[in-house]
Structures are given as C-alpha cells and as structure tokens.
Amino acid sequence: MMLTIGVILVIITIYFLVKRYDARLVLLVSGVLMACVAGTPMAALNAFAKDMTNAGLIQAVCSVMGFAMVMRFTECDKHLINLMASGLGKVRPLLIPGVVVATYAVNVALPSAAGTAAAAGAIFVPLMMSAGVHPAMAAAAVKCGTYGSMLNPGLAHNPVVAKIAGIGVMEVIAFQFKANIASLIVAAILITAIAYYKKEHKGYHAEGLEVDNSFKVNLLYALMPMFPILLLLLGATLVPSLKTDVPQAMIIGSALSLLVTRKNPVGLSNAFFDGMGKAYGEIIGIIIAAGVFVSGLTSMGLVKAFIDAMLNNPAIVKVCAAVGPFLLGFITGSGDAATMAFNQAVTPHAADFGMEIKQMGSMATLGGTLGRTMSPIAGATIIVAGIAGVNPMEVTKRNWLPVVGAMIIGMALLMY
C-alpha cells in the first residue's frame, strides 16, 4: 500500500513539473508530504537543513554564477560572441555547425542555458538569417549547443557527482570530456544535414534582423570568459603548479577582468555577489528541494524498491540512468530536478550494479541536459524561438534528431 501511494505521489509530482509549476515548490511539497505519509515528517526537514550547507556545491555553483554576472557587467561575453560570429560569417559552409560549436563554447564559460541562449542567440540567429538560413533552423542550431555547461565545473551536477564519488570535480569532467565532444560533433553534423535536406541552409531573405557589424571586438575582453576554465584545465593536466579550486579560479578571473576592462570596482563586486545570491536561490534551491524529495522517496521505501528492482534486473540500470533523466528533461523543460533526484537516490549505489559513480552520474547528467536541450518548453528554447520569431515546437522539430543522436553516441562512450 505504501509503495502504491508513493508511486501516485510521484506521478502527481511529475504532472505539476510538466505544467511548469516552480520545481522547488513542487519537489519540497512532494518530499514533505511523502515523509508525513510515511510517518517520518522530520526526515524531510532534516534533509532540507543538511543540504543548505553543502559546502562543495555552494562554493562551486555560487562562484561560477558570480563570475558569469561579472562577464555580463563587463560585457566581455558580448566580445566573445561577436568574435566567434565574425569568424563564422566568413566561412559559409561551416556556418551552421560552427554556430552549434560556438554556442557550446559560450555555454562552457557561461553555464546558464537560458543566459547562453539569450546572449549567443542575439548574435548568431541574426547572423544566420542574414546569410539566408531559415529562422527556425537558425534557432535550432543555437539551441543544439546549449549543453556546453557539462564541461563547466560550476554546473551543479558535476560537484554533486564528485562529492558522491569522493573525487575532484575536474576528474568528473575529464571522464565525460570525450563523450561530450563526440556528442557535440554528432549534433553539429546532423543539424547541418537536416538543414541541407530541408533546403533551409540558404535562400531566406531576412528583414530588420541584421548583425551589428559596427561592434568592435577587443580580443583581450573576449578571452576573459574562458580564462577560469583554461586555468582549471591547465592546473588539472599540464601545469600542476597552477592547480586551484573553482572559487579561487572564478575570483582570479573576475579580478583579471577588472584590470583588463577597468570597469567600476564597486559595480563589478555587486555583480559578482548578486550572481552568487541568484545561484543559491535558483540553483542550490533546486538541489535542496531535490534532496527533500529524495528523503520522501526513501521514507516511503520507493528508493529501496527501485534499487532492488535494478539489482534483480541489472541490464536496465544503464538504460534508466540515461533515458530516465532524458525523458523527464524533455517533458519538463528542465533536466535539473530529474537528474538531481536520480543522482542523489541511485548513483551512490552504482557499485552494486557494476558501474562507477562518476560513470552513472555522468550518464544521468548528460541525459537530463540533452532532454532539456530538445524540450519545446525549456526556457532556452523559448528564448531562441522568440529571437527568430518562430514557434518553439518548430525548433524541437529540427533539433530532436541531432539531440537523440548526441545522446546515443554520448551514452555509448560513457557506458563502454
């Protein structure tokens, strides 16, 4: 009876997430309600209190979002995007795949998918349309690249997996690097093939959406968004003497951008701390809510039942890790809630299924992120569709095959 009630509550939770109710509220209420039904109401509140002070997550996520706000304040993000756009505009055959890769690179430095869609879309969509690319295809190309945050140490899921596995966040990123790049290449090739097949790669006449060719790119400004990531990668691989943690790298990057751009120090400081606060409220908040939800699942015995089912059928574990978060990411428009719940509830038991924690966690993260990338109701999809002046569903019609192809190749590499 308890399991039946739990399953019903989970279905109701998914329903409200699909209806785009606030994910934090839905997960919190669901988790508390399940804990109360199970007779352990304090379990949910204890989980809430515990996750409020998760040091590793707070340091990484908040510092990265603080740095992202600094890049917006200094307008270094605009210089990076315009630099990429100026290069792509000169090589027409590489325009569509180049935009996918360029957007991915921007999303590595600026981990918000919606923020990347707004910043990159404002430049790349008009660029492609002015070159004759169909508006929906232009929006789809940008959307295909909005999962580069997988390689950012501040993406909330990377520190979560690292903490569960007891390893460094850069080790998690290094493990998933090849799979991510391979999936990106597949997505770029497939979206280009679809554009040529539908004859949407040229012939469109844009009116009123021209690229601002008067924008003067400062190369040094353009390099600033990438600096902390490069510092972390160099320190973790080629130059051990430069090894540092995420918060330190973000602060160094912010300080360097202040020296380079000579912006108001007070304004830059305010931007950094505003970004940190926003990160705690919007990103850490989802992590906390997901923890409460998982505590409710645990109290009702659903986690144990799910794990027992997988232990008895180990062949479905890898499928669940990949497809589960992917489908929920597609349905809800956000891969965060599903991925967080899976990683907190199931990933710690990866060894029981003959998998490494970083392997299972990376599969769940990639699945949820790609599901959101394909979703017509994701914030980033709505943003690029709005810039292009098309229905969000038209974007999904064009990027579903590239995203599914990216998931297949990415999961294959992570599995084996």
Side-chain angles (χ1 to χ4, degrees):
M1 177 63 73
M2 189 70 71
L3 292 179
T4 302
I5 295 174
V7 170
I8 293 173
L9 290 175
V10 170
I11 293 173
I12 293 173
T13 301
I14 294 173
Y15 170 80
F16 281 111
L17 288 173
V18 170
K19 289 295 183 180
R20 297 184 66 80
Y21 283 81
D22 183 76
R24 293 166 298 183
L25 178 62
V26 172
L27 293 173
L28 279 172
V29 172
S30 179
V32 171
L33 182 59
M34 285 190 285
C36 289
V37 171
T40 57
M42 291 306 295
L45 301 181
N46 291 339
F48 184 95
K50 178 182 177 182
D51 287 338
M52 281 181 66
T53 56
N54 196 324
L57 292 178
I58 294 172
Q59 289 176 6
V61 175
C62 289
S63 61
V64 167
M65 289 305 295
F67 177 74
M69 290 298 288
V70 166
M71 292 300 97
R72 180 179 300 177
F73 172 75
T74 59
E75 297 189 336
C76 288
D77 56 348
K78 288 186 179 179
H79 286 268
L80 173 63
I81 293 167
N82 277 276
L83 174 65
M84 293 178 173
S86 63
L88 290 171
K90 299 174 183 177
V91 191
R92 183 182 176 84
L94 298 179
L95 181 58
I96 293 175
V99 163
V100 176
V101 174
T103 303
Y104 188 95
V106 171
N107 199 204
V108 171
L110 307 174
S112 166
T116 296
I123 304 297
F124 293 148
V125 170
L127 171 71
M128 286 187 284
M129 289 174 64
S130 64
V133 178
H134 188 280
M137 183 56 66
V142 172
K143 191 61 174 66
C144 270
T146 55
Y147 70 102
S149 54
M150 282 284 295
L151 299 183
N152 189 300
L155 178 70
H157 307 295
N158 289 330
V160 166
V161 175
K163 186 175 186 297
I164 295 173
I167 58 179
V169 66
M170 294 307 296
E171 187 174 339
V172 174
I173 292 175
F175 173 78
Q176 59 189 225
F177 180 80
K178 291 181 180 179
N180 276 286
I181 297 302
S183 70
L184 171 65
I185 294 171
V186 169
I189 292 173
L190 289 177
I191 193 74
T192 303
I194 291 172
Y196 276 78
Y197 175 76
K198 295 174 69 69
K199 295 182 172 54
E200 293 183 346
H201 64 293
K202 64 179 181 179
Y204 180 80
H205 298 288
E207 293 182 7
L209 276 177
E210 292 80 21
V211 179
D212 182 9
N213 293 317
S214 64
F215 189 93
K216 294 183 179 180
V217 174
N218 183 309
L219 183 58
L220 202 53
Y221 285 25
L223 292 176
M224 289 300 100
M226 304 298 295
F227 178 80
I229 306 299
L230 294 174
L231 179 62
L232 288 165
L233 290 174
L234 286 173
T237 55
L238 301 176
V239 191
S241 59
L242 293 178
K243 188 174 183 178
T244 185
D245 290 327
V246 176
Q248 291 88 330
M250 297 303 153
I251 292 174
I252 293 171
S254 297
L256 185 59
S257 69
L258 176 62
L259 293 175
V260 168
T261 62
R262 298 184 298 281
K263 292 286 186 177
N264 186 325
V266 175
L268 186 141
S269 175
N270 288 339
F272 187 87
F273 286 105
D274 286 346
M276 288 182 63
K278 185 176 181 180
Y280 194 94
E282 296 183 6
I283 300 176
I284 301 296
I286 291 180
I287 296 174
I288 294 172
V292 173
F293 178 69
V294 170
S295 73
L297 294 175
T298 303
S299 297
M300 298 203 75
L302 288 174
V303 172
K304 185 177 185 302
F306 183 52
I307 292 173
D308 288 344
M310 289 197 295
L311 281 171
N312 294 328
N313 301 277
I316 71 171
V317 176
K318 294 180 179 180
V319 175
C320 289
V323 177
F326 178 84
L327 291 177
L328 283 176
F330 171 70
I331 292 170
T332 65
S334 170
D336 289 342
T339 304
M340 283 296 173
F342 186 93
N343 277 337
Q344 293 191 36
V346 182
T347 300
H349 306 279
D352 295 336
F353 312 116
M355 298 175 67
E356 293 183 73
I357 288 176
K358 63 182 179 182
Q359 180 186 25
M360 179 179 281
S362 294
M363 289 171 64
T365 301
L366 182 60
T369 304
L370 286 173
R372 181 257 303 153
T373 301
M374 194 175 78
S375 174
I377 62 174
T381 306
I382 294 170
I383 289 170
V384 295
I387 294 172
V390 299
N391 189 300
M393 187 57 71
E394 293 301 313
V395 178
T396 295
K397 286 179 181 177
R398 288 161 175 81
N399 79 356
W400 75 266
L401 182 59
V403 172
V404 170
M407 187 188 74
I408 292 173
I409 189 66
M411 292 305 173
L413 289 175
L414 288 174
M415 283 183 188
Y416 307 108

